[in-house]
Amino acid sequence: MKLKQLEGLLGELQQFSNPKVELEQYPTGPHIASRMLFTAENSFEDVSNKVVADFGCGCGTLGAAAALLGAEHVMGIDIDSQALELASINAEDLELDINFIQSDIKNLGWRGQIVDTVVMNPPFGTRKKGADMDFLCVALKVASQAVYSLHKTSTRDHIKRVALRDLNASSAEVLCELRFDVPQLYKFHKKKEVDVAVDLWRFVPKGNQGKGT
């Protein structure tokens, strides 16, 4: 599937109508989501025929992209039941078979590296300090192959240091810098749209010294 085709399909998905500020529910737009998964597949072969988990899946955009690119099995995990309802509708609209699980990422209870790849757009940690690192910590425990994640560019040095020192990463690489358009979803946003610089990271967990490390 070509990148433009993938972006077009993701652009048809429904997004949050009333996002929850405490969960930092900023939808991952089709532009970023398509490039994230397209890179994971075409540069590293981390999607096709793999078991992929979408952490904090929200409307299910990243998981849908993984399924469209030929993932063997996709799981979407989110704490919010309304988000999962929307994600389920989106998957049905695209005729994708995705398994949705309602859970706090920290309480997931998975043991060992039970998925190949984790993809995620975690909370940036602006409302709840450290939320982004909580997601990354769990992702690097359960993925055997790679973790793809978006983090604010301003936190780049901190992310790399903590991932390599404390979170079981054998490598941590910024693949590209993207502009994340955060629309005026919440009352405290002064501007119509806030443009945030984010990094697309690829982390490889210890125990996998394969491609890309």
Side-chain angles (χ1 to χ4, degrees), residues 123-167:
F124 288 144
T126 48
R127 307 296 290 181
K128 186 181 166 209
K129 196 164 168 53
D132 52 343
M133 302 313 280
D134 289 342
F135 271 64
L136 188 55
C137 177
V138 177
L140 280 163
K141 284 177 181 166
V142 303
S144 65
Q145 195 147 327
V147 174
Y148 292 85
S149 188
L150 297 167
H151 298 271
K152 284 202 291 192
T153 301
S154 58
T155 64
R156 184 180 292 177
D157 293 343
H158 171 70
I159 297 277
K160 183 156 196 165
R161 186 171 62 251
V162 174
L164 293 173
R165 186 187 65 198
D166 303 330
L167 299 186

Side-chain angles (χ1 to χ4, degrees), residues 11 56 60 80 83 95 97 134 143 149 169:
D80 181 23
E95 298 181 352
D97 184 15
D134 289 342
S149 188

Side-chain angles (χ1 to χ4, degrees), residues 40-108:
E41 174 54 24
N42 285 278
S43 298
F44 301 100
E45 299 176 355
D46 283 333
V47 180
S48 178
N49 300 315
K50 301 290 192 293
V51 177
V52 179
D54 178 0
F55 275 13
C57 65
C59 316
T61 309
L62 295 177
L68 288 165
L69 288 172
E72 181 186 323
H73 185 68
V74 179
M75 290 173 278
I77 299 102
D78 205 287
I79 196 170
D80 181 23
S81 59
Q82 288 175 310
L84 290 173
E85 276 177 41
L86 192 53
S88 186
I89 291 166
N90 280 334
E92 281 174 30
D93 285 348
L94 287 175
E95 298 181 352
L96 302 173
D97 184 15
I98 299 176
N99 181 22
F100 293 106
I101 301 161
Q102 186 177 1
S103 175
D104 185 323
I105 293 298
K106 289 192 290 184
N107 300 333
L108 205 49

Side-chain angles (χ1 to χ4, degrees), residues 186-198:
Y186 307 113
K187 291 196 177 89
F188 62 82
H189 281 163
K190 305 273 192 297
K191 298 177 187 162
K192 271 235 160 44
E193 205 167 75
V194 186
D195 197 18
V196 181
V198 297

